[in-house]
Amino acid sequence: MLTLKFIQEQKDEVIKRLKVKRFDATEIIEEIIRLDNERKSTQAQVETLQAEMNSLSKEIGQLFKSGQVEEANKAKAKTGELKDSIKELDNKLSETTTQLNNQLVQLPNVPNELVPEGKGEEDNVEVKNGGKIPELHNAVPHWDLIKQYDLIDFELGTKITGAGFPVYKGKGARLQRALINFFLDEAVKAGYMEVLPPLVVNEDSGFGTGQLPDKEGQMYHVTADNLYLIPTAEVPVTNLYRDVILKASEMPIKNCAYSACFRREAGSWGAHVRGLNRLHQFDKVEIVQVAHPSNSYEVLEQMVAHVQTLVEKLELPWRILRLCGGDISFTSALTYDFEVYSAAQERWLEVSSVSNFESYQANRLKLRYKEDGEKKTQLAHTLNGSALALPRIMAALLENNQTEEGIRIPEVLVPYTGFDIIK
RNA sequence: GGAGAGAUGGCAGAGUGGUCGAAUGCGGCGGUCUUGAAAACCGUUGUACCGCGAGGUACCGGGGGUUCGAAUCCCUCUCUCUCCGCCA
């Protein structure tokens, strides 16, 4: 969430920039400022009374100690009223604070200046592309290829779990594992430290990265223990740094993680979400960085560059989009999406999303740093990106590399798969 | 799942109703000494909020209560450890 200081000091700027996200913040900001001011004055009152109470209590203690019991009892009588006022004001204070927080979490992150105006996907701006779109005739879509070569079984998944939970089999499973290992190895080579996090997180973690309180419905909730299945490794990995004060010299922190990801995603199930295009459970390798505010945008560029090397090595046609205000997420300040071209579906598939959250998550996480020798703490910046999400990569690889003989495996993956063609 | 013990500052660990934001040790930082380092010695060392400032307030796992006053007493939740059971 945004800091109160920022909102108070740059109110008009916040309203203006949130318009790019198509969010009218005028009212909510007025309310936040009103509540914050109320909070401050109530707090001042409470603290004055508490100070009074503290000194009175000390006096009573002294009186008892010196045996002046009567005096002490007299003084005691005075505290009752004070106590009541403190209690009353204290209740008001916590009520105001709760209301303030409720408003604050509803305010999205302000977008960076680079974020273009726009309503939705169609207004995203292509910033770069590469690779070659293969020319295939009668290309078979991946949902048919996986049946033909017996790589993934959706019906079996439906039988044991439900729709959107595929079962990978034989070379399909092996290819999946190859991609995971390839992505992890590449990330480690690029300086990211690998972590293998829990796939289930608590409420605090969900709040820290911004999934809770509002996007509850998108996660699977283990109600018996009040835990959530992670929608992305971003959640557990970023939360490793919750309530942490770093030294400036420790940044940037670079972590990567493979995880299964779980999404309830109550969307439609038409042609565009067929096969591997949208699943309830899928695999992903995520890269996460905690960076100094002064260079977090350079870090973002590096992360984008890293993802680019992946799609290039996989020989997939790719393009990078800068998300417009209407398509960028609630918590992000700037996001680049990677898409790869899927030759049989004849459309671009999103396979990565790389974002700078600036201090928006850090403020929720209480993730701070100190400059060398400085006493005051400042909020760090957090970033993350998919590197990469597997299912659509798999879809594109299968569709783009289909030949008369079978499905050709890109060279970089052969050491991982142990085969160079699926027949 | 059953029984017991516990949760205090970066770490270890004292404190069982007032003078305790909290002893002491270690670690960190600064200094003295030294050509430099080590050792020794001296000093310093939590976070947040309010306030221009002086200063004030809160925090001893979380929440609630008792009391003029709570790290300390009571209730409750969470977590950790030990033993037993079960188990990949």
Side-chain angles (χ1 to χ4, degrees):
Chain A
M1 57 196 176
L2 299 176
T3 64
L4 282 164
K5 195 167 177 253
F6 182 61
I7 295 169
Q8 287 268 16
E9 286 171 4
Q10 315 244 13
K11 173 183 138 181
D12 296 333
E13 179 72 7
V14 172
I15 292 173
K16 192 181 119 208
R17 284 167 71 183
L18 280 177
K19 279 201 181 122
V20 175
K21 278 200 176 178
R22 313 179 74 75
F23 185 94
D24 182 5
T26 321
E27 267 175 52
I28 185 166
I29 285 191
E30 287 305 331
E31 180 68 357
I32 285 170
I33 289 176
R34 188 186 69 76
L35 286 165
D36 189 35
N37 292 338
E38 188 177 308
R39 188 200 106 244
K40 280 183 197 171
S41 79
T42 310
Q43 185 173 334
Q45 291 174 56
V46 171
E47 289 182 359
T48 309
L49 294 185
Q50 278 170 333
E52 238 175 275
M53 189 68 156
N54 285 345
S55 69
L56 205 51
S57 292
K58 245 172 220 167
E59 269 173 47
I60 292 170
Q62 291 301 327
L63 289 172
F64 272 122
K65 197 158 270 180
S66 58
Q68 297 166 266
V69 179
E70 208 174 299
E71 295 290 314
N73 283 329
K74 231 185 257 175
K76 257 202 212 179
K78 281 200 290 187
T79 60
E81 204 180 317
L82 205 49
K83 233 178 149 180
D84 288 345
S85 328
I86 290 177
K87 188 145 211 175
E88 198 181 309
L89 280 167
D90 213 24
N91 287 339
K92 188 179 163 199
L93 180 61
S94 53
E95 205 178 291
T96 308
T97 308
T98 307
Q99 281 175 23
L100 180 58
N101 287 334
N102 287 345
Q103 296 295 316
L104 271 176
V105 297
Q106 286 180 48
L107 209 55
N109 197 3
V110 291
N112 182 280
E113 293 98 344
L114 286 172
V115 174
E117 306 247 358
K119 277 193 201 133
E121 289 185 57
E122 65 281 2
D123 298 315
N124 295 336
V125 174
E126 182 175 324
V127 291
K128 215 174 176 187
N129 65 64
K132 212 179 115 224
I133 294 176
E135 284 162 34
L136 302 175
H137 22 259
N138 301 324
V140 181
H142 70 272
W143 48 84
D144 289 331
L145 291 168
I146 59 174
K147 273 192 186 145
Q148 186 182 330
Y149 295 102
D150 199 21
L151 301 173
I152 300 173
D153 195 323
F154 283 97
E155 286 73 25
L156 263 184
T158 305
K159 173 179 145 192
I160 59 170
T161 306
F165 292 91
V167 176
Y168 300 79
K169 293 159 70 181
K171 286 189 171 164
R174 182 63 186 247
L175 179 55
Q176 188 78 359
R177 185 153 57 88
L179 283 165
I180 293 166
N181 285 331
F182 169 66
F183 292 147
L184 278 175
D185 285 354
E186 291 294 309
V188 169
K189 270 190 233 161
Y192 291 86
M193 199 216 18
E194 182 177 346
V195 275
L196 186 60
L199 303 180
V200 170
V201 294
N202 60 26
E203 229 174 319
D204 286 346
S205 296
F207 178 81
T209 33
Q211 281 71 28
L212 297 175
D214 283 338
K215 287 161 216 76
E216 249 174 309
Q218 296 175 17
M219 290 189 287
Y220 287 96
H221 188 191
V222 184
T223 51
D225 298 293
N226 197 25
L227 298 171
Y228 295 86
L229 303 202
I230 59 170
T232 156
E234 162 198 347
V235 178
V237 175
T238 310
N239 272 281
L240 295 176
Y241 303 97
R242 172 151 49 83
D243 288 317
V244 166
I245 301 175
L246 298 163
K247 289 190 205 131
S249 57
E250 292 174 286
M251 297 186 286
I253 288 174
K254 301 171 78 176
N255 286 164
C256 64
Y258 154 72
S259 86
C261 301
F262 303 90
R263 301 203 178 166
R264 291 187 67 225
E265 223 130 78
S268 67
W269 288 87
H272 272 205
V273 295
R274 241 183 121 175
L276 292 167
N277 289 342
R278 191 186 290 181
L279 302 169
H280 283 311
Q281 180 183 326
F282 62 97
D283 294 305
K284 180 159 64 65
V285 171
E286 184 80 1
I287 51 177
V288 172
Q289 292 210 40
V290 179
H292 193 284
S294 66
N295 71 351
S296 66
Y297 280 94
E298 286 160 45
V299 166
L300 180 67
E301 294 305 320
Q302 286 166 22
M303 292 170 79
V304 168
H306 174 71
V307 176
Q308 186 184 319
T309 63
L310 299 178
V311 287
E312 281 173 344
K313 286 183 182 178
L314 292 173
E315 302 163 44
L316 291 166
W318 55 272
R319 64 178 190 185
I320 302 174
L321 305 173
R322 186 185 293 132
L323 295 194
C324 74
D327 203 27
I328 193 170
S329 80
F330 189 80
T331 48
S332 174
L334 182 62
T335 298
Y336 290 100
D337 268 11
F338 272 78
E339 296 184 340
V340 298
Y341 193 78
S342 200
Q345 299 183 67
E346 297 183 332
R347 64 188 193 105
W348 293 94
L349 303 176
E350 182 193 333
V351 291
S352 173
S353 197
V354 188
S355 304
N356 187 355
F357 302 92
E358 296 193 4
S359 61
Y360 192 87
Q361 289 182 328
N363 191 31
R364 292 176 155 229
L365 294 158
K366 302 222 181 324
L367 164 51
R368 293 155 294 172
Y369 70 94
K370 274 186 199 173
E371 294 296 349
D372 248 16
E374 296 262 332
K375 273 200 101 166
K376 72 167 195 290
T377 62
Q378 302 181 66
L379 293 171
H381 281 191
T382 60
L383 303 95
N384 68 54
S386 350
L388 288 162
L390 292 241
R392 295 174 192 159
I393 288 287
M394 175 84 89
L397 282 178
L398 297 178
E399 293 186 11
N400 294 11
N401 295 340
Q402 56 187 298
T403 66
E404 301 277 312
E405 296 80 46
I407 295 164
R408 194 180 56 79
I409 301 296
E411 220 171 291
V412 284
L413 287 181
V414 176
Y416 292 93
T417 52
F419 50 82
D420 59 7
I421 194 159
I422 295 172
K423 292 192 209 181

